[in-house]
Amino acid sequence: ISRQARIRHAMIRFVPELCDRELGLPKNFTFPERVVASPHLIHSMGFAGDYSGHEGCVNALSFDPSGTLLVSGSDDATVKVWSHASRKCICTLQGHVTNVFATSFFPHRVDADGFDLLSGGNDSTLHHYQVRNDLAFATVYHDHSKKILRTSINPLEPDLFLSASADGTVRMFDIRCQYPDATTLKLTPKHGTTLYEAAGLTDDDAIVPQALGGGLTSSFRAATRMPSARTLCLDFNQDPTAPPPTSVPVTQPSAPGETRTREPEQDRPGTRQRVGLFSVEFNPLDGNTFIVSAADGNVRLFDLRKIDGANPYRSCLNVYRNINTMDPAACEMTGCSWSSDGQKIVSSALADAIYIFDVHRNFAQELHLDYNDSPAKRRHARFLE
C-alpha cells in the first residue's frame, strides 16, 4: 500500500474521532492522546532523511527548544550538533574518551552566538560545553564514579541539573557555581585525552569496561580528586533501615595538590550492595519533583524539598513497579519519563514490558504491600496464603 493511501486511510479513521469529540462522548483517553497513539498515524509516516557523521552507535538525542538544532552523543566518544533543516553537522565536541550516553541543551543558553550543552558518559564525567563564536570551553565534573546514563535539566531553574549513575547516586549541580572538583578546559580539534595524559595514563588504563559499570580505574581515581558531598542528592547505596548520618565521611585536602580521600562505599556503616541507576527526570511542570529508575526494578518519586539525608528509601514519596512479580529486581527499570501534563509516568523494564503509571496512585497503600520485604520473604508469605 502506498504512503498516500495510508494517509487517506488515517484521515478517514480520524473523522469519527472528531465527531465524538464534538459530541462530547466520553473516552478513556483524550483526543490528542488517541491521535498520537494511533497506528494509522504511525503508518502514515515516511522516511525524511538521516544525519551521517558518527562512527559508532548513537546513544542520545535531544533538540533545542526551537527544534532547529539537534545534539547527539555516540560510542565514538564525540558530541555532535546538527542543523535540523540541512541535516549537516555544524559542530563536533571532543572531551569524553569513551561512550557518550546523555546529551541535552541548556534551553536558556541557546542564542544566535552559540549554545551550552550537557553530556555524560561511560567515563563517569559530566561535561558542560559552552560554544560561542568558534570558541568552545568544557567544564568537567568528576563527582560520579561509574557511568552516567541520564541527566535532567530543571524546567523552572535551568541552571540546575540532575545526573543518574551506575554508582547508585543522583547528584545535583548548578552551572553558576564553582566546584573544587571541576576542571575547565579550552577545547581544540584534537582535545579529548588531556586529563588522562596529565595523569600519565592511557585510555585503556583509565576506563573500566561498560559491562562492569564503566567509570575510572582505581589507579586513575587515585591520581584525581574524589567526589564531593556537596553535589550528592540521593545515595541508593544506603541501607533503608540505617539512621540519618551525623557526619559526611569525606575529608577535604589540607594542602594544594593533596588528594581527596574517603572511605570505600562498601565499607562504610549503613551501606549495602550498589544499586545502579538508569534514568532521572524532572517533572516538566515544576522544578521540585523528579523520578528515578533503578536496577532494583523500581521507579521512585522524589521532591527536592523533602530529601532526608540523601537516603532515597526515607525520601521516596511513591514507588512504581510491576506488582505481579515476586522479585522486581529481575526486571530492571531501564528508563522512565513523564507525560507532558505531569500526570503519568512511562517506564521500560528489562526483559519485561513498557508500563504506564498514574502518578497519584499508591499501590503499596491500596494493596497493603511492603516494598522493603525481601523476595524470599514475599515468596514465603504467598506460600502460606
XYZ file of all heavy atoms in Angstrom, residues 162 170 233-234 236 279-284 286 288-294 298-308 311-321 336-338 342-345 357-362 371:
464
model
N 20.194 17.436 37.245
C 20.416 16.196 37.962
C 21.113 15.196 37.048
O 20.931 15.231 35.829
C 19.102 15.589 38.444
C 18.290 16.353 39.489
C 16.930 15.707 39.673
C 19.034 16.409 40.820
N 22.347 9.935 42.716
C 21.815 11.048 41.944
C 22.488 12.297 42.485
O 22.495 12.529 43.706
C 20.285 11.167 42.088
C 19.774 12.437 41.407
C 19.600 9.940 41.514
N 22.764 14.208 46.014
C 21.329 14.395 46.239
C 20.720 13.137 46.843
O 20.029 13.207 47.858
C 20.653 14.754 44.922
S 18.874 15.023 45.034
N 20.960 11.981 46.213
C 20.456 10.697 46.698
C 21.541 9.642 46.567
O 22.264 9.611 45.569
C 19.218 10.254 45.905
C 17.951 11.086 46.038
C 16.925 10.651 44.993
C 17.365 10.986 47.441
N 21.660 5.617 46.691
C 20.920 4.360 46.766
C 21.746 3.230 47.386
O 21.248 2.118 47.532
C 20.450 3.943 45.377
C 19.225 4.670 44.911
C 19.298 5.993 44.508
C 18.001 4.037 44.879
C 18.169 6.674 44.066
C 16.862 4.707 44.449
C 16.941 6.031 44.044
N 17.981 6.146 35.004
C 17.352 7.351 34.477
C 16.905 8.268 35.600
O 16.589 7.813 36.703
C 16.146 6.972 33.606
O 15.572 8.106 33.006
N 16.875 9.556 35.304
C 16.332 10.563 36.212
C 15.676 11.630 35.351
O 16.169 11.957 34.260
C 17.439 11.173 37.100
C 18.504 11.876 36.274
C 16.850 12.134 38.119
N 14.530 12.164 35.812
C 13.857 13.196 35.025
C 12.995 14.075 35.917
O 12.222 13.583 36.733
C 13.000 12.569 33.925
C 12.357 13.606 32.999
C 11.729 12.991 31.770
O 12.494 12.507 30.909
O 10.496 12.958 31.672
N 13.148 15.388 35.734
C 12.305 16.355 36.430
C 10.895 16.323 35.871
O 10.676 16.093 34.680
C 12.860 17.768 36.259
C 13.897 18.169 37.276
C 15.219 18.355 36.901
C 13.543 18.389 38.590
C 16.177 18.747 37.827
C 14.483 18.782 39.528
C 15.809 18.955 39.150
N 9.928 16.584 36.758
C 8.559 16.819 36.317
C 8.562 18.044 35.400
O 9.091 19.093 35.767
C 7.668 17.073 37.541
C 6.203 17.198 37.192
O 5.830 17.742 36.162
N 5.351 16.705 38.068
N 7.987 17.956 34.194
C 8.059 19.089 33.263
C 7.305 20.322 33.722
O 7.500 21.408 33.160
C 7.441 18.518 31.977
C 6.558 17.411 32.434
C 7.255 16.814 33.626
N 7.123 21.383 37.140
C 7.668 22.041 38.328
C 9.147 21.700 38.462
O 9.657 20.789 37.828
C 6.899 21.651 39.597
C 7.156 20.213 40.035
O 8.294 19.915 40.432
O 6.217 19.396 39.987
N 10.697 20.788 41.325
C 10.975 20.110 42.582
C 10.840 18.591 42.503
O 11.689 17.872 43.018
C 10.045 20.643 43.685
C 10.321 22.095 44.028
O 11.453 22.470 44.305
N 9.287 22.916 44.002
N 9.783 18.086 41.898
C 9.575 16.640 41.861
C 10.324 16.030 40.682
O 10.421 16.623 39.605
C 8.079 16.292 41.767
O 7.517 16.912 40.603
C 7.343 16.774 43.000
N 10.820 14.815 40.904
C 11.534 14.100 39.848
C 11.417 12.607 40.102
O 11.058 12.166 41.201
C 13.004 14.526 39.785
C 13.813 14.235 41.019
C 14.583 13.074 41.127
C 13.823 15.126 42.087
C 15.335 12.807 42.257
C 14.576 14.866 43.234
C 15.328 13.702 43.327
N 11.686 11.811 39.084
C 11.601 10.360 39.175
C 12.954 9.750 38.840
O 13.754 10.332 38.107
C 10.523 9.783 38.232
C 10.693 10.333 36.808
C 9.140 10.066 38.769
C 9.718 9.762 35.801
N 13.187 8.566 39.404
C 14.446 7.837 39.197
C 14.109 6.370 38.940
O 13.322 5.770 39.682
C 15.371 7.940 40.432
C 16.653 7.137 40.203
C 15.701 9.392 40.748
N 14.673 5.791 37.900
C 14.514 4.356 37.649
C 15.807 3.643 38.024
O 16.904 4.148 37.770
C 14.169 4.085 36.182
O 15.241 4.425 35.321
N 15.650 2.455 38.624
C 16.807 1.774 39.206
C 16.844 0.305 38.806
O 15.860 -0.274 38.333
C 16.774 1.900 40.733
N 12.437 -0.706 40.365
C 11.515 0.321 40.855
C 11.745 1.664 40.170
O 12.873 2.004 39.811
C 11.684 0.519 42.370
C 11.294 -0.711 43.161
O 10.183 -1.204 43.048
N 12.221 -1.214 43.962
N 10.644 2.410 40.004
C 10.713 3.828 39.663
C 10.213 4.572 40.891
O 9.123 4.272 41.401
C 9.842 4.169 38.439
C 9.839 5.675 38.193
C 10.346 3.441 37.211
N 10.995 5.521 41.387
C 10.644 6.230 42.625
C 10.419 7.713 42.354
O 11.088 8.312 41.511
C 11.742 6.051 43.679
C 11.885 4.610 44.177
C 13.013 4.497 45.181
N 13.085 3.176 45.787
C 13.737 2.142 45.256
N 14.378 2.291 44.105
N 13.767 0.973 45.877
N 9.490 8.272 43.107
C 9.143 9.688 43.013
C 9.744 10.428 44.199
O 9.611 9.988 45.345
C 7.627 9.856 42.996
C 7.075 11.289 43.050
C 7.424 12.047 41.769
C 5.562 11.270 43.264
N 10.380 11.583 43.924
C 11.019 12.380 44.973
C 10.640 13.847 44.820
O 10.187 14.287 43.762
C 12.547 12.252 44.900
C 13.072 10.860 45.086
C 13.347 10.058 43.987
C 13.284 10.344 46.355
C 13.830 8.768 44.147
C 13.765 9.053 46.529
C 14.034 8.259 45.420
N 10.855 14.581 45.916
C 10.684 16.027 45.938
C 11.948 16.614 46.557
O 12.344 16.208 47.655
C 9.455 16.407 46.767
C 9.085 17.883 46.647
O 10.005 18.725 46.669
O 7.891 18.190 46.536
N 12.586 17.543 45.856
C 13.839 18.124 46.352
C 13.677 18.741 47.741
O 14.632 18.805 48.506
C 14.343 19.189 45.376
C 14.929 18.706 44.048
C 15.272 19.899 43.159
C 16.164 17.845 44.281
N 12.480 19.187 48.064
C 12.239 19.835 49.357
C 12.078 18.834 50.488
O 12.014 19.221 51.656
C 10.983 20.708 49.265
C 11.080 21.831 48.240
C 9.730 22.391 47.887
N 8.878 21.400 47.227
C 7.683 21.666 46.700
N 7.215 22.908 46.756
N 6.967 20.716 46.121
N 12.022 17.531 50.151
C 11.753 16.513 51.164
C 12.822 15.416 51.171
O 12.550 14.291 51.570
C 10.372 15.902 50.925
C 9.252 16.923 51.005
C 7.891 16.299 50.736
C 6.774 17.344 50.796
N 5.441 16.758 50.526
N 14.029 15.751 50.741
C 15.132 14.787 50.771
C 15.654 14.674 52.193
O 15.991 15.677 52.832
C 16.268 15.213 49.825
C 15.747 15.325 48.389
C 17.422 14.223 49.891
C 15.225 14.045 47.807
N 15.724 13.456 52.701
C 16.132 13.194 54.079
C 17.501 12.516 54.101
O 17.617 11.310 53.896
C 15.089 12.312 54.763
C 15.422 12.028 56.231
O 16.402 12.603 56.741
O 14.699 11.238 56.858
N 19.058 9.793 51.728
C 18.587 8.414 51.751
C 17.317 8.306 50.901
O 16.274 8.846 51.264
C 18.296 7.966 53.183
C 18.019 6.474 53.282
O 17.253 5.921 52.505
N 18.647 5.827 54.247
N 17.363 7.595 49.775
C 16.194 7.528 48.895
C 15.038 6.740 49.489
O 13.883 6.959 49.115
C 16.735 6.841 47.639
C 17.882 6.022 48.130
C 18.500 6.824 49.249
N 15.331 5.842 50.407
C 14.288 4.990 50.966
C 13.452 5.748 52.005
O 12.281 5.451 52.205
C 14.917 3.738 51.567
C 15.873 3.079 50.587
C 17.257 3.213 50.739
C 15.395 2.381 49.493
C 18.138 2.645 49.828
C 16.261 1.806 48.576
C 17.631 1.947 48.750
O 18.495 1.388 47.835
N 14.049 6.730 52.666
C 13.287 7.585 53.574
C 12.669 8.777 52.850
O 11.684 9.350 53.297
C 14.190 8.088 54.704
C 14.657 7.029 55.686
C 15.185 7.665 56.963
N 16.245 8.618 56.696
C 17.546 8.334 56.737
N 17.943 7.107 57.030
N 18.453 9.259 56.483
N 13.276 9.164 51.709
C 12.831 10.369 50.999
C 11.784 10.084 49.939
O 11.132 11.012 49.452
C 14.042 11.047 50.335
O 15.072 11.297 51.273
N 11.609 8.836 49.576
C 10.721 8.470 48.476
C 9.263 8.792 48.795
O 8.764 8.468 49.874
C 10.896 6.985 48.183
S 9.822 6.370 46.898
N 8.563 9.413 47.846
C 7.152 9.746 48.019
C 6.234 8.663 47.471
O 5.109 8.518 47.940
C 6.837 11.071 47.319
C 7.636 12.294 47.766
C 7.189 13.520 46.983
C 7.489 12.526 49.261
N 6.698 7.932 46.460
C 5.892 6.865 45.872
C 6.811 5.934 45.091
O 7.905 6.341 44.669
C 4.817 7.432 44.942
C 3.642 6.481 44.769
O 3.694 5.308 45.149
N 2.566 6.980 44.172
N 6.354 4.692 44.910
C 7.111 3.682 44.177
C 6.215 3.090 43.107
O 5.050 2.761 43.365
C 7.618 2.560 45.113
C 8.358 1.494 44.311
C 8.526 3.126 46.198
N 6.755 2.965 41.892
C 6.021 2.388 40.773
C 6.802 1.167 40.285
O 7.987 1.263 39.991
C 5.862 3.412 39.647
C 5.382 4.757 40.134
C 6.285 5.787 40.410
C 4.030 4.991 40.348
C 5.850 7.015 40.864
C 3.581 6.226 40.804
C 4.500 7.231 41.069
O 4.069 8.449 41.525
N 6.110 0.027 40.192
C 6.800 -1.200 39.830
C 5.793 -2.220 39.309
O 4.576 -2.035 39.411
C 7.520 -1.788 41.045
C 6.547 -2.339 42.075
C 7.131 -2.579 43.434
N 8.176 -3.559 43.469
C 8.809 -3.928 44.590
N 8.475 -3.355 45.744
N 9.742 -4.819 44.573
N 12.665 5.893 32.435
C 11.402 6.458 32.900
C 11.270 7.876 32.374
O 12.263 8.575 32.166
C 11.310 6.431 34.429
S 12.588 7.377 35.294
N 10.022 8.289 32.150
C 9.782 9.626 31.618
C 8.376 10.076 31.996
O 7.471 9.248 32.161
C 9.938 9.629 30.100
O 9.795 10.935 29.574
N 8.195 11.391 32.124
C 6.903 11.983 32.457
C 6.080 12.224 31.198
O 6.623 12.459 30.111
C 7.083 13.331 33.149
C 7.713 13.299 34.495
C 9.045 13.336 34.779
C 7.034 13.271 35.762
N 9.242 13.323 36.133
C 8.019 13.280 36.763
C 5.693 13.237 36.132
C 7.715 13.264 38.117
C 5.374 13.219 37.476
C 6.382 13.236 38.461
N 2.431 15.895 33.327
C 2.918 15.507 34.644
C 1.991 14.589 35.415
O 2.143 14.433 36.626
N 1.042 13.943 34.732
C 0.072 13.084 35.412
C 0.385 11.597 35.279
O -0.138 10.786 36.023
C -1.333 13.343 34.860
C -1.815 14.762 35.043
C -1.877 15.169 36.508
O -2.486 14.482 37.332
N -1.243 16.289 36.829
N 1.239 11.244 34.325
C 1.561 9.838 34.097
C 3.066 9.663 33.970
O 3.793 10.615 33.645
C 0.873 9.315 32.828
C -0.648 9.302 32.885
C -1.223 8.714 31.615
C -2.751 8.692 31.668
N -3.316 10.046 31.679
N 3.508 8.438 34.231
C 4.917 8.066 34.084
C 4.979 6.826 33.200
O 4.231 5.874 33.412
C 5.557 7.752 35.452
C 5.629 9.017 36.306
C 6.952 7.161 35.278
C 6.056 8.753 37.738
N 2.155 4.432 34.457
C 1.656 4.549 35.822
C 0.931 5.883 36.010
O 1.343 6.908 35.454
C 2.804 4.468 36.840
C 3.588 3.189 36.783
C 4.807 3.138 36.127
C 3.115 2.039 37.395
C 5.542 1.964 36.072
C 3.835 0.858 37.356
C 5.053 0.816 36.696
N -0.117 5.847 36.814
C -0.772 7.070 37.273
C 0.042 7.597 38.449
O 0.241 6.904 39.446
C -2.200 6.757 37.713
C -2.979 8.004 38.127
O -2.347 8.998 38.531
O -4.215 7.978 38.057
N 0.524 8.825 38.321
C 1.414 9.389 39.344
C 0.766 9.380 40.729
O 1.431 9.166 41.741
C 1.818 10.830 38.965
C 2.626 11.485 40.080
C 2.605 10.836 37.671
N -0.550 9.568 40.792
C -1.219 9.760 42.070
C -1.653 8.463 42.744
O -2.098 8.484 43.889
C -2.438 10.668 41.874
C -2.097 11.982 41.240
N -1.373 12.953 41.888
C -2.363 12.463 39.992
C -1.216 13.994 41.082
N -1.796 13.718 39.929
N -1.528 7.341 42.054
C -1.916 6.066 42.670
C -0.755 5.472 43.449
O 0.385 5.423 42.959
C -2.387 5.069 41.610
C -3.709 5.428 40.980
C -4.311 4.236 40.267
N -4.657 3.142 41.184
C -5.224 2.010 40.794
N -5.498 1.806 39.514
N -5.508 1.068 41.682
N -1.039 5.029 44.667
C -0.030 4.412 45.514
C -0.463 2.966 45.766
O -1.286 2.692 46.641
C 0.109 5.181 46.832
C 1.291 4.708 47.649
O 1.583 3.516 47.725
N 1.981 5.655 48.279
N 7.189 -2.872 50.207
C 8.216 -2.954 49.188
C 9.615 -3.186 49.761
O 10.546 -3.440 49.014
C 8.225 -1.674 48.350
C 7.049 -1.550 47.407
C 6.713 -0.327 46.838
C 6.282 -2.657 47.070
C 5.638 -0.211 45.960
C 5.212 -2.566 46.200
C 4.892 -1.334 45.647
O 3.829 -1.225 44.781
